[in-house]
Amino acid sequence: MKRQATFEREELLIDQSGNSNDYKVVNSNIFTLSDWVFFIGLLIWSLNEFIKFSEISKSVPDFLPMTFRATGLAIVVISFFLRDFLRINGIRFLVVTVLLTFILFNNGILAGDGNWIDIVILSIGSIGVHYNRLFSMLAGYRFIINGALIFLAVRSVIPNQVEISQNRLRFYLGYNWTSFAAHTILFLTLLLLWAKRNDLKLWMFAGLLFINFWTYSQTRTKAPFFIAVFCLITWFVASRFKIHYLNSRLLYYATILILPMLTLLIFYLSYNVNRFPEIDTLLSTRLSLGRTYIDQYGLTMFGHPVYESTYFDWFGRAYQTLDSSLMRYIVKYGLVSTGLFMSLWMYISRRVANTKDFYLDLLLICLALEAFGDPWFLFASYNIFIILLGSVALKDDQFRAVVKSD
């Protein structure tokens, strides 16, 4: 293919010496045409679950969200074949493709979770995209569409449902569940953390803090609010002290090990829930629900469907779901996929930790804390960072090129 001369970026090129294993970085950060095509596909794809998880779903034809999903994924696939700058090791790419295909088959087909079809396609399609620019532009897009939704709900243009739970008045803010808005704002905060890093202005810090406090006052959803406040205060303090690259062994190992350690912790607490009633209450009976699933399904090697019901009704249908992303992965997708996913994520985390970029370490820690209690870590419509699975196909210098700040 001809080089896209009008679109410069950090391109990864074969060295002129002819050694296909040696790479050099041409310094530019502007998106190529293929990156723009990927971004457009991602925007269209995002409308699928944005509609499904909001009151808009009641006002549009049922086929429309699926149309956005299929169209967006098709454009993502096209963008990959337009990416003529990419020169990756064929063996690495083959291995990553096989591993992600297994995850797709195990999680998507055996466990019946079609969400993983999207994750795998987006992960492979994003290989070589400059993540910093991608996440920055995606943050703006998601702020616009979600901000418009919340505004319409507050102004009663669309329904703003309300419920009373544990003496708390909780507004839905245009979504189909009370907690959706809070988790949306958390992940928007994390997108900006990746994009801005040490360039956090006072007005942005104050604005994000106000938005998170206001969302909490409306939804009374605690976990994402506490994570967001922790993230924002840590981010702000680090930026005020001009911290960007930090050589800390403690932070290095914490970044790599936090997700598998929290996985072991949530499983241990759930299995021994009778010994930790206070923690179970603090976590809104997530431990009890986890133990229920362990008793029902045990630990399996491969994925399988599980019963879930998130609605109460007059016919006695029990509320039962796996809120924790980490418990969900173990119980629903099996031990083989759990071990594989944790290995891939630890490999990505090690690469991030090797950059010594404090803000990326902070982001991965916040993602792990979110995964401990809630399911949205496993949804690309919330946690777009999960597409970093595709970056395993890149060599170390290529990875550093596509995650570095502008």
Side-chain angles (χ1 to χ4, degrees), residues 106-388:
N106 182 83
N107 300 10
I109 298 176
L110 294 183
D113 191 344
N115 176 56
W116 282 94
I117 298 173
D118 303 50
I119 291 175
V120 170
I121 292 175
L122 292 171
S123 296
I124 295 177
S126 70
I127 296 174
V129 169
H130 195 281
Y131 294 112
N132 194 47
R133 288 297 181 91
L134 174 70
F135 294 152
S136 178
M137 293 190 300
L138 184 62
Y141 172 73
R142 289 188 172 177
F143 258 114
I144 291 172
I145 62 174
N146 287 282
L149 179 75
I150 293 173
F151 176 79
L152 293 175
V154 171
R155 301 298 298 173
S156 301
V157 177
I158 61 175
N160 184 13
Q161 297 186 53
V162 62
E163 69 173 34
I164 298 177
S165 174
Q166 300 175 345
N167 296 321
R168 296 178 296 173
L169 193 63
R170 308 180 69 187
F171 293 92
Y172 284 48
L173 298 180
Y175 298 89
N176 293 335
W177 195 253
T178 53
S179 64
F180 288 0
H183 289 286
T184 297
I185 298 302
L186 168 62
F187 280 106
L188 286 172
T189 302
L190 296 180
L191 277 170
L192 288 173
L193 169 61
W194 180 298
K196 298 300 181 182
R197 305 191 199 182
N198 64 323
D199 187 27
L200 176 63
K201 307 300 185 195
L202 179 60
W203 67 264
M204 181 177 290
F205 167 73
L208 289 172
L209 198 63
F210 171 80
I211 291 171
N212 277 279
F213 268 96
W214 181 84
T215 304
Y216 173 72
S217 73
Q218 297 295 302
T219 67
R220 298 296 176 179
T221 305
K222 297 178 181 178
F225 169 70
F226 290 144
I227 296 171
V229 170
F230 162 74
C231 171
L232 283 169
I233 292 176
T234 306
W235 181 10
F236 181 72
V237 171
S239 67
R240 293 300 96 182
F241 283 94
K242 306 299 182 183
I243 296 172
H244 193 172
Y245 299 102
L246 186 64
N247 188 10
S248 167
R249 301 307 294 177
L250 177 61
L251 183 61
Y252 176 85
Y253 288 112
T255 301
I256 298 172
L257 298 176
I258 186 169
L259 195 72
M261 293 301 293
L262 288 180
T263 302
L264 294 174
L265 177 61
I266 191 67
F267 180 80
Y268 174 79
L269 292 175
S270 298
Y271 188 78
N272 298 282
V273 61
N274 292 333
R275 297 169 54 184
F276 305 103
E278 295 86 0
I279 299 178
D280 188 36
T281 301
L282 181 65
L283 296 176
S284 302
T285 70
R286 282 171 169 78
L287 303 183
S288 297
L289 288 169
R291 180 55 192 260
T292 297
Y293 277 97
I294 294 173
D295 292 339
Q296 286 181 342
Y297 298 99
L299 296 181
T300 61
M301 296 301 293
F302 300 103
H304 55 85
V306 298
Y307 168 82
E308 290 193 79
S309 173
T310 56
Y311 296 94
F312 300 98
D313 58 36
W314 292 103
F315 299 100
R317 188 179 182 185
Y319 177 90
Q320 184 175 320
T321 189
L322 279 165
D323 278 323
S324 168
S325 295
L326 307 180
M327 276 300 294
R328 176 180 293 269
Y329 212 108
I330 295 173
V331 173
K332 188 173 184 179
Y333 305 138
L335 297 179
V336 174
S337 185
T338 299
L340 174 58
F341 180 83
M342 290 297 162
S343 298
L344 290 172
W345 197 257
M346 288 175 66
Y347 181 72
I348 295 166
S349 300
R350 182 184 68 81
R351 283 178 146 185
V352 168
N354 282 335
T355 68
K356 297 180 173 56
D357 192 316
F358 173 79
Y359 302 98
L360 297 189
D361 292 335
L362 174 62
L363 184 142
L364 291 184
I365 290 171
C366 290
L367 284 178
L369 294 174
E370 165 72 2
F372 183 80
D374 289 285
W376 307 116
F377 178 83
L378 301 178
F379 285 78
S381 55
Y382 281 82
N383 176 27
I384 191 60
F385 305 106
I386 202 168
I387 69 173
L388 289 171

Side-chain angles (χ1 to χ4, degrees), residues 1-9 11 30-41 75-76 78-85 129 137:
M1 297 182 183
K2 294 182 178 179
R3 179 163 306 280
Q4 301 162 6
T6 58
F7 295 88
E8 297 181 347
R9 62 161 296 152
E11 299 187 13
I30 300 176
F31 262 20
T32 63
L33 175 62
S34 60
D35 293 337
W36 281 108
V37 173
F38 177 85
F39 179 63
I40 291 170
I75 295 174
V76 164
I78 292 172
S79 76
F80 178 79
F81 291 102
L82 292 175
R83 199 159 294 135
D84 71 328
F85 65 84
V129 169
M137 293 190 300

